[in-house]
Every structure is written in structure tokens, then in C-alpha cells.
Amino acid sequence: MSQELNGSQTPTNPAKEVVNLKRKDYLNWDDYFMATALLSAKRSKDPSTQVGACIVDTQKRIVAIGYNGFPRGCSDDAFSWSKPSDGISTDPLEHKYMYVVHAEANAILNSNGTSLVGTRLYTTLFPCNECAKLIIQSGVKEVYYMSDKYAEKPTFRGSKRMFDAAGISYKRYTPTRKQVIINFDEIIQEELNISLDMKALKM
Ligand SMILES: Nc1ccn([C@H]2C[C@H](O)[C@@H](COP(=O)(O)O)O2)c(=O)n1
Ligand SMILES: [Zn+2]
């Protein structure tokens, strides 16, 4: 028996199945933002610890990224990446700590005037006390970190104390996958294969 539709009804076909080719292994948001922080860290020239940070707004838009490096104009060839434990020099002016801008600080500076109020910061290393001050003052509300390897150092204990007082939440991030691979070669090869296929088809 056929049914008549009145003005407020729309025709539906419950028997029809939607063929959905949506990928299943796409990156989830958190892995994507932490991977962005990790990719950013790859820009760092620090020989011992490369740090990356990525700041994301409530609409899941990346508003800033940064990594640890020397300030603009302070060339990596003129300033040293050594540190006291290297035994190269005892002069603090020869150590990286005097000059390096931390990843989180660089990310905040790179936000270029965009409000960071209510944002979330993904960082590959827990923020130090100096970065914690900037994070708090710029309005970042949440911190996701990968490593807390310096947790026992007073500067890192100090940041937790400030975060607790300021109501900033901080959480160690556990990725949902083992790796994110970016294989330039594979992409180039795929394009070569396609153009070879096209040529073969024309012949
Ligand atoms: N949250 C942090 C902590 C440290 N950094 C930077 C500062 C140095 O370049 C490096 C640490 O060097 P290490 O003492 O491990 O030889 O990481 C940062 O950007 N953000
Ligand atoms: Zn710092």
C-alpha cells in the first residue's frame, strides 16, 4: 500500500545503504596537534633537547606553533649550543641557557596578537617556570605535554605550583597510535607511478 506524504514529511528510503569510503585511520585531533608540536621540534638545533609547542583554540584551530631556538639575529654559528655538563666552557656566556627562547615562549610570541584566552597548549616537554608565567598571563587554560623528564627540578615544580594556583589544567598526553609517518619518497613515487600509468594509457 502506498503512503501519501503530507506537507511536513520528506520521502525516505530506509532500505538504501550509504556507501561510505571514509578513511578509518585518520589522525584524531589530539594526535594531530601533538604531532604538529613534535614536527615543530624537528626545527630545533639544540643537540640535546628539541622541544615543540602548538597552541589550539576552542574551535580546534592552530593559532601558533614554536620550537626552542635562539632569538632572531642571534646566529647558531655565533652563539653556542653547549651547556655546563659538556665541559667545553665554564663561562655562562658560552652556554645555550643564556640565549635560547623556549618552544612555549616562541609559540606565544608567534601568535601575533591573536588572543590566546581559553586555548590549549600542546608541548613535547613540560613547561618551565618562566614559560608557565607566560602561559598563565596569556590566558592559556590547558596544557597537554608528552615528557616530564625534568619533573624533579625546582623550575618545573615551580610551574606546577603556579598552574595549580592559577587554575590551569595540565595532563600528560598518551598518543592513540605508535607513530605518524611522513614519507616524502612515497608521495613522490606515487606521483611518478600515476604519470607512468597515464602515459601507458595514451599509448
Ligand atoms: N619546557 C621547555 C623546557 C626546555 N626547553 C628548551 C631549553 C633548552 O633549549 C632545552 C633543554 O636543554 P637540556 O637542558 O635538556 O640540555 O629545551 C623548552 O623549549 N621548553
Ligand atoms: Zn620554558
Side-chain angles (χ1 to χ4, degrees), residues 102 104 127-131:
H102 287 193
E104 305 91 316
C128 74
N129 65 319
E130 291 301 330
C131 290

Side-chain angles (χ1 to χ4, degrees), residues 21-88:
L21 299 178
K22 189 172 96 176
R23 281 175 62 228
K24 297 234 170 6
D25 67 335
Y26 61 91
L27 273 179
N28 72 29
W29 285 115
D30 286 330
D31 285 349
Y32 169 57
F33 296 134
M34 192 54 91
T36 301
L38 285 158
L39 185 64
S40 183
K42 298 256 178 227
R43 283 278 311 143
S44 176
K45 285 137 193 151
D46 191 316
S48 49
T49 305
Q50 303 83 43
V51 187
C54 173
I55 306 178
V56 177
D57 72 9
T58 49
Q59 294 181 66
K60 308 218 177 296
R61 293 178 299 199
I62 294 176
V63 287
I65 50 178
Y67 59 88
N68 53 330
F70 292 151
R72 223 166 274 150
C74 302
S75 153
D76 299 281
D77 302 318
F79 291 81
S80 169
W81 275 108
S82 67
K83 58 180 181 176
S85 58
D86 291 337
I88 294 170

